[in-house]
Amino acid sequence: MPDLAIEPLNPSILPMSGKYSHGVQVDGAQRMVFVSGQVPWGNEHGRVPETFEAQCRMVWRNVLAVLSEAGMGIRNLVKVTTYLSDRQYRALNAKIREEVLGDHAPALTVVIADIYAENWLLEIEAVAMA
């Protein structure tokens, strides 16, 4: 199997304002995984956490669980879309995302949206390749 190469595409005419890539080029991929929008379904007690931080960490845990099921991890992510219920969560979302992704910089989109359930504060979907 060829080596997977995920290369950032960051044209010099576009500003960088965080740890992400404007685009990514993937060479050597043989499999793609599309991760459906993951939400804070509920903790071990069946309750959705109240705080954004707890929900965000739970949602990333869910994304990573789907990737793991496919034998993939963070380094396989090529595109991540995050839907936030309110602009007030932008900074904390970015902080947690950077903790989770480390120095990996997939293409990112953040959308402020009305989330399906009123108590869900975010949803994350992703595309990964191997």
Side-chain angles (χ1 to χ4, degrees), residues 105-117:
L108 295 175
T109 302
V110 178
V111 179
I112 308 303
D114 192 17
I115 308 296
Y116 182 78

Side-chain angles (χ1 to χ4, degrees), residues 20-33:
Y20 69 95
S21 297
H22 285 286
V24 294
Q25 176 177 305
V26 180
D27 292 313
Q30 294 186 352
R31 293 186 304 128
M32 293 179 69
V33 171

Side-chain angles (χ1 to χ4, degrees), residues 34-110:
F34 296 87
V35 180
S36 293
Q38 296 299 304
V39 295
W41 285 107
N43 61 19
E44 61 276 4
H45 306 293
R47 292 188 210 104
V48 173
E50 291 185 25
T51 69
F52 178 83
E53 181 172 2
Q55 286 195 23
C56 190
R57 292 186 188 285
M58 178 181 282
V59 169
W60 273 109
R61 179 203 69 191
N62 297 346
V63 169
L64 294 174
V66 174
L67 293 177
S68 178
E69 190 73 12
M72 295 184 187
I74 290 295
R75 295 268 175 221
N76 296 99
L77 287 172
V78 295
K79 176 71 170 105
V80 176
T81 303
T82 302
Y83 301 91
L84 300 176
S85 66
D86 195 294
R87 290 181 191 283
Q88 69 177 320
Y89 303 125
R90 289 180 305 173
L92 187 52
N93 175 64
K95 176 184 175 288
I96 294 168
R97 182 183 63 235
E98 286 183 20
E99 287 176 18
V100 171
L101 297 180
D103 64 351
H104 186 59
L108 295 175
T109 302
V110 178

